[in-house]
């Protein structure tokens, strides 16, 4: 049996509430949902993080996440929809995935942003250095 729970779901080694799948992605209900309808979209090719992923799977991932958001909007008529993809520090499963879930007024979910002193940021310098790195990434 594979160690990655998402690979196990993709290979039907463990049960999941699959909503959609094709040759590139699988979309299923999250077992620890933020709200009812919380979906996970995963590429069928295992990659731990976005940095190594093939564009084919990333394209399928985002287009399926968009479709999932449309489905949630139509089904739940939420106040909003969150599409979230994390790498590294907060990743709960080492397999690229997107969370897509409906948001409702007063549902209690919050993304807490740190208080950063914007006065100390040199946006021009940061822009210049990021543009240089962009050329080689």
């Amino acid at each position: 049996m594979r160690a990655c729970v998402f690979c196990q779901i993709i290979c039907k080694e463990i049960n999941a509430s699959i909503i959609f799948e094709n040759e590139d992605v699988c979309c299923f209900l999250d077992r620890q949902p933020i709200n009812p309808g919380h979906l996970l979209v995963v590429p069928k090719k295992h990659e731990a993080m976005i940095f190594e992923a093939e564009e084919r799977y990333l394209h399928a991932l985002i287009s399926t996440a968009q479709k999932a958001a449309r489905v949630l909007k139509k089904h739940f008529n939420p106040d909003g929809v969150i599409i979230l993809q994390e790498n590294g520090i907060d990743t709960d499963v080492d397999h690229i995935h997107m969370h897509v879930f409906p948001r409702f007024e007063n549902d209690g979910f919050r993304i807490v942003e740190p208080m950063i002193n914007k006065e100390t940021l040199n946006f021009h310098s940061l822009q210049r250095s990021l543009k240089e790195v962009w050329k080689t990434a």
Side-chain angles (χ1 to χ4, degrees):
M1 190 175 264
R2 301 169 200 272
C4 173
V5 67
F6 292 166
C7 288
Q8 291 173 320
I9 289 170
I10 290 164
C11 293
K12 311 295 190 280
E13 294 171 358
I14 60 175
N15 290 330
S17 300
I18 296 174
I19 305 301
F20 169 81
E21 69 179 314
N22 63 20
E23 65 184 21
D24 294 327
V25 295
C26 186
C27 177
F28 50 91
L29 287 167
D30 193 321
R31 294 287 180 168
Q32 298 177 9
I34 300 294
N35 280 321
H38 184 155
L39 298 171
L40 295 173
V41 182
V42 302
K44 286 195 170 178
K45 182 176 185 221
H46 181 89
E47 294 288 359
M49 290 194 227
I50 199 167
F51 313 112
E52 297 88 21
E54 293 178 38
E55 282 189 31
R56 165 188 169 178
Y57 295 100
L58 293 177
H59 287 232
L61 192 66
I62 192 63
S63 64
T64 304
Q66 179 190 39
K67 177 75 173 203
R70 288 179 177 153
V71 167
L72 295 175
K73 183 175 181 357
K74 189 172 185 176
H75 187 276
F76 291 101
N77 192 30
D79 298 310
V81 173
I82 290 219
I83 298 175
L84 177 66
Q85 199 283 317
E86 301 170 298
N87 288 273
I89 195 167
D90 285 329
T91 304
D92 47 353
V93 177
D94 287 330
H95 185 128
I96 298 169
H97 60 285
M98 290 188 135
H99 294 263
V100 185
F101 56 93
R103 289 295 316 281
F104 302 95
E105 188 90 25
N106 301 315
D107 65 9
F109 179 80
R110 297 288 175 262
I111 296 176
V112 179
E113 297 179 19
M115 295 303 292
I116 185 168
N117 185 352
K118 295 164 190 75
E119 307 282 324
T120 63
L121 290 178
N122 183 331
F123 285 94
H124 182 69
S125 175
L126 184 56
Q127 175 195 18
R128 196 170 49 251
S129 64
L130 287 173
K131 284 176 92 169
E132 283 303 310
V133 173
W134 188 278
K135 294 174 187 175
T136 61

